[in-house]
């Protein structure tokens, strides 16, 4: 049995862009002011950290302004990134290039288990002085700011966070910094710098930034978060007699890989009211019930949809044919092991799913049943299991569901508003 969901949803402001508003605003004396700033706890962690660094942070509802004030100063207390890997990694890039400062950066238990060497090692190539647990591979980290050198760095693995950290470091380096990536990744940092009027150069698979003392200010509206919209896209597609309008969603092509894959699977979706906000493409998505077909996802497609893969796995259980998702080993080192968590949750609902080191094989047209599933404290797992629960023939309880506050505090209340029947319960 699949329930119906119908209505209009405004998802929170884009999480990736909101993080960058906080970080880049800290480098601008005029400041960056936005509306529709993300309501999630992760972005609040970024604001808290930059405020501890002496920057000016004003927040009223979804309106946020961040400015550097008298400049970044040494924090008297440890900087706590909470559960936010983006906060920790972008702050490394920011702080590594601020001379005569010493910072200690930590996070919650989950974040302290996540790898940091992917950020620390390339920053050290530029001259950064970073140390920490396990030689700097894990938080907490200590960062002694210094004037970094310029240079070129070739990313061994596609990562928007590593690219952005290096670009941030380059803004305060002695010379230009060029980052070469093996596959295109989210380019929100580049777009925001261009929108602010900061000179950068994009050339094929490389991007170069130049030293820039004081970033220009600006103001705009943050687009709706596509990763949050993804749950409603899949929910509307797999639920019968459903139609959902997602207003003002960011449609940056480096983020919408899920949309393209679902369209290849037969998704019934249209776009209206296209515009641009802060240099980012935006539009309304109208998604209707769809007859989906199986798909194969490889490593070249993963960077544009890495956060959406858990909910794509849910869609695969309802598609015709067998779906294979591979090349997604990065999911093993997210807030939890998302490959294992998805397999565990869907199996609890009666699904047939084969777990691989880097993904899953998922037969389609499956009937899901009610069950108790564990979010493992991961917001995207909790929401993906809630979407799967819409297709289940019995009640679904999600343990640890409060973790959705990390990115989407309004998720469950909006789900109740859209659904015409019982929805997954929270535990």
């Amino acid at each position: 049995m699949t329930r119906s969901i119908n209505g209009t949803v405004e998802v929170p402001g884009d999480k990736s862009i909101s993080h960058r508003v906080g970080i880049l605003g800290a480098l601008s004396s005029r400041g960056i002011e936005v509306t529709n700033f993300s309501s999630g706890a992760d972005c609040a962690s970024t604001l808290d950290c930059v405020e501890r660094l002496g920057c000016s942070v004003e927040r009223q509802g979804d309106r946020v302004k961040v400015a550097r004030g008298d400049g970044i100063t040494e924090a008297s207390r440890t900087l706590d990134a909470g559960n936010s890997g983006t906060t920790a990694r972008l702050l490394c890039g920011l702080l590594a290039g601020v001379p005569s400062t010493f910072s200690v950066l930590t996070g919650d238990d989950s974040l302290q288990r996540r790898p940091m060497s992917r950020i620390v090692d390339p920053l050290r190539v530029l001259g950064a002085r970073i140390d920490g647990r396990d030689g700097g591979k894990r938080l907490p980290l200590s960062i002694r700011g210094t004037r970094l050198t310029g240079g070129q760095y070739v990313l061994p693995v596609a990562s928007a966070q590593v690219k952005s950290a290096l670009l941030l470091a380059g803004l305060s380096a002695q010379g230009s910094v060029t980052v070469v990536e093996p596959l295109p990744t989210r380019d929100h940092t580049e777009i925001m710098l261009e929108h602010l009027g900061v000179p950068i150069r994009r050339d094929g698979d490389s991007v170069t930034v130049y030293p820039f003392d004081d970033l220009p200010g600006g103001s705009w509206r943050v687009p709706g978060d596509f990763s949050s919209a993804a749950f409603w896209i899949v929910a509307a597609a797999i639920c019968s007699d459903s139609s959902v309008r997602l207003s003002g969603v960011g449609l940056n092509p480096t983020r919408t890989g899920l949309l393209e894959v679902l369209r290849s699977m037969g998704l019934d979706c249209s776009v209206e009211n296209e515009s641009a906000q802060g240099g980012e493409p935006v539009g309304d998505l109208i998604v209707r019930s769809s007859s989906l077909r199986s798909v194969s996802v490889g490593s070249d497609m993963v960077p544009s949809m890495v956060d959406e893969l858990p909910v794509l796995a849910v869609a695969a259980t309802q598609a015709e044919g067998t779906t294979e998702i591979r090349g997604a080993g990065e999911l093993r080192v997210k807030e939890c092991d998302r490959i294992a968590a998805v397999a565990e949750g869907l199996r609890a609902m009666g699904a047939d799913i084969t777990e691989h080191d880097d993904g899953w094989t998922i037969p389609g047209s499956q009937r899901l049943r009610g069950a108790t599933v564990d979010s493992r404290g991961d917001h995207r797992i909790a929401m993906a299991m809630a979407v799967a629960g819409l297709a289940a023939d019995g009640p679904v309880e999600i343990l640890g569901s409060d973790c959705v506050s990390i990115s989407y505090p309004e998720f469950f209340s909006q789900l109740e508003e859209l659904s015409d029947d019982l929805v997954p319960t929270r535990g």
Side-chain angles (χ1 to χ4, degrees):
M1 177 185 70
T2 57
R3 300 169 178 86
S4 297
I5 60 168
N6 290 277
T8 298
V9 181
E10 290 190 10
V11 297
D14 188 279
K15 191 157 77 83
S16 293
I17 295 173
S18 295
H19 280 301
R20 286 156 176 80
V21 166
I23 299 292
L24 291 178
L27 296 173
S28 171
S29 58
R30 179 184 163 192
I32 298 175
E33 183 174 6
V34 298
T35 56
N36 202 36
F37 189 89
S38 171
S39 57
D42 273 5
C43 293
S45 293
T46 292
L47 294 182
D48 178 67
C49 287
V50 298
E51 189 169 33
R52 291 190 186 191
L53 291 166
C55 299
S56 170
V57 176
E58 301 172 15
R59 183 166 193 175
Q60 186 173 10
D62 71 354
R63 182 180 296 275
V64 167
K65 181 176 182 180
V66 181
R68 75 177 190 183
D70 295 328
I72 294 174
T73 58
E74 186 172 294
S76 60
R77 293 185 293 164
T78 298
L79 301 172
D80 188 352
N83 189 251
S84 176
T86 302
T87 301
R89 291 171 180 144
L90 295 191
L91 279 175
C92 283
L94 175 72
L95 295 171
V98 182
S100 304
T101 60
F102 173 78
S103 304
V104 177
L105 177 62
T106 191
D108 66 12
D109 290 344
S110 170
L111 188 55
Q112 289 186 29
R113 292 192 297 269
R114 296 174 66 182
M116 297 299 294
S117 56
R118 63 183 62 184
I119 292 287
V120 172
D121 291 347
L123 286 172
R124 284 173 173 168
V125 171
L126 300 181
R129 298 186 297 171
I130 305 176
D131 200 0
R133 190 161 57 91
D134 197 13
K137 295 180 181 178
R138 298 283 190 275
L139 293 172
L141 296 176
S142 65
I143 305 168
R144 296 185 181 275
T146 187
R147 193 71 187 275
L148 304 177
T149 62
Q152 175 176 291
Y153 190 85
V154 180
L155 297 180
V157 178
S159 169
Q161 290 181 352
V162 178
K163 175 180 66 173
S164 294
L166 290 169
L167 296 179
L168 286 167
L171 293 172
S172 57
Q174 299 178 58
S176 63
V177 170
T178 298
V179 182
V180 182
E181 51 185 350
L183 292 169
T185 62
R186 300 180 183 189
D187 60 355
H188 300 304
T189 301
E190 298 96 299
I191 287 176
M192 195 175 297
L193 289 172
E194 289 170 334
H195 184 69
L196 292 170
V198 178
I200 70 170
R201 185 178 76 243
R202 297 210 230 186
D203 184 11
D205 57 1
S206 71
V207 56
T208 302
V209 296
Y210 304 88
F212 207 95
D213 182 57
D214 185 4
L215 298 190
S219 61
W220 62 89
R221 179 179 175 83
V222 175
D225 186 79
F226 181 83
S227 294
S228 297
F231 299 100
W232 304 120
I233 294 171
V234 171
I238 68 173
C239 289
S240 59
D241 302 319
S242 296
S243 177
V244 173
R245 175 183 287 268
L246 299 159
S247 302
V249 175
L251 298 177
N252 183 314
T254 65
R255 291 287 298 281
T256 55
L258 175 79
L259 188 60
E260 300 312 310
V261 166
L262 287 172
R263 279 174 167 159
S264 74
M265 296 173 72
L267 178 71
D268 184 354
C269 176
S270 56
V271 182
E272 297 179 357
N273 301 324
E274 294 181 79
S275 62
Q277 295 173 1
E280 298 274 355
V282 176
D284 294 353
L285 294 176
I286 299 89
V287 186
R288 292 164 285 270
S289 304
S290 307
S291 297
L292 300 179
R293 303 177 297 274
S294 61
V295 71
S296 293
V297 172
S299 58
D300 59 326
M301 304 163 71
V302 167
S304 68
M305 56 189 300
V306 63
D307 286 334
E308 293 76 57
L309 291 175
V311 79
L312 177 62
V314 173
T317 67
Q318 304 303 299
E320 181 183 350
T322 297
T323 290
E324 186 165 45
I325 300 171
R326 303 299 295 268
E330 171 72 10
L331 295 182
R332 295 281 187 190
V333 291
K334 289 289 190 176
E335 284 86 334
C336 74
D337 181 341
R338 288 180 176 169
I339 291 176
V342 166
E344 176 186 77
L346 291 178
R347 285 190 191 116
M349 295 187 200
D352 177 11
I353 177 171
T354 300
E355 179 182 339
H356 305 291
D357 288 344
D358 61 348
W360 314 274
T361 299
I362 308 170
S365 303
Q366 300 197 55
R367 185 172 182 177
L368 303 181
R369 62 171 181 252
T372 297
V373 298
D374 190 349
S375 71
R376 298 197 183 191
D378 189 311
H379 55 132
R380 302 206 191 278
I381 298 301
M383 291 185 281
M385 292 302 106
V387 173
L390 295 173
D393 61 6
V396 172
E397 180 182 15
I398 303 167
L399 302 179
S401 60
D402 286 348
C403 63
V404 301
S405 64
I406 288 169
S407 63
Y408 199 165
E410 308 88 351
F411 175 77
F412 282 105
S413 62
Q414 290 181 344
L415 179 57
E416 290 177 0
E417 292 172 3
L418 292 175
S419 178
D420 65 351
D421 203 340
L422 294 175
V423 297
T425 59
R426 307 172 65 179

Coordinates of all heavy atoms in Angstrom, one line a residue, residues 40 89 122 137 150 156 274 339 372 399 426:
G40 N 18.7 24.4 9.8 CA 19.3 23.2 10.4 C 20.4 23.6 11.4 O 21.0 24.6 11.4
R89 N 35.5 21.3 8.1 CA 36.5 21.3 7.0 C 36.6 22.7 6.4 O 37.8 23.1 6.0 CB 36.0 20.3 6.0 CG 36.2 18.8 6.5 CD 35.6 17.8 5.7 NE 35.8 16.5 6.3 CZ 34.9 15.5 6.2 NH1 33.7 15.6 5.6 NH2 35.2 14.3 6.8
P122 N 46.2 18.3 2.1 CA 46.4 19.3 1.1 C 46.7 20.6 1.6 O 47.4 21.4 1.0 CB 45.1 19.2 0.3 CG 44.1 18.6 1.1 CD 44.8 17.6 2.0
K137 N 44.5 13.2 11.6 CA 43.5 12.4 10.8 C 42.1 12.5 11.4 O 41.1 12.2 10.7 CB 43.9 11.0 10.7 CG 45.1 10.7 9.9 CD 45.5 9.3 9.8 CE 46.8 9.0 9.0 NZ 47.1 7.6 9.0
G150 N 51.1 29.8 -2.3 CA 50.2 29.5 -3.4 C 50.6 28.1 -4.0 O 51.5 27.4 -3.5
P156 N 42.9 13.9 -5.3 CA 42.9 12.5 -5.7 C 41.5 11.9 -5.8 O 41.2 11.0 -6.5 CB 43.7 11.8 -4.5 CG 43.6 12.8 -3.4 CD 43.5 14.1 -4.0
E274 N 11.4 29.7 -13.3 CA 12.9 29.6 -13.2 C 13.4 31.1 -13.1 O 13.0 32.0 -13.7 CB 13.5 28.9 -14.4 CG 13.1 27.5 -14.5 CD 13.7 26.8 -15.7 OE1 14.9 26.4 -15.6 OE2 13.0 26.6 -16.7
I339 N 25.8 3.1 3.8 CA 25.5 1.9 3.0 C 24.9 0.8 3.9 O 23.9 0.2 3.6 CB 26.8 1.5 2.3 CG1 27.2 2.5 1.2 CG2 26.6 0.1 1.7 CD1 28.5 2.1 0.5
T372 N 10.3 -1.4 12.9 CA 11.1 -0.4 13.6 C 12.5 -0.4 13.0 O 13.1 -1.4 12.9 CB 11.1 -0.8 15.1 OG1 9.8 -0.8 15.7 CG2 12.0 0.2 15.9
L399 N 13.7 5.1 15.0 CA 14.4 5.4 16.2 C 15.4 6.6 16.0 O 16.1 6.6 14.9 CB 15.1 4.2 16.8 CG 14.3 3.0 17.1 CD1 15.1 1.8 17.6 CD2 13.2 3.3 18.1
R426 N 7.9 8.6 15.2 CA 9.2 8.9 15.6 C 9.5 8.3 16.9 O 8.6 8.2 17.8 CB 9.3 10.4 15.7 CG 9.0 11.2 14.5 CD 8.9 12.7 14.7 NE 10.2 13.2 15.0 CZ 10.5 14.5 15.2 NH1 9.5 15.3 15.1 NH2 11.7 14.9 15.4

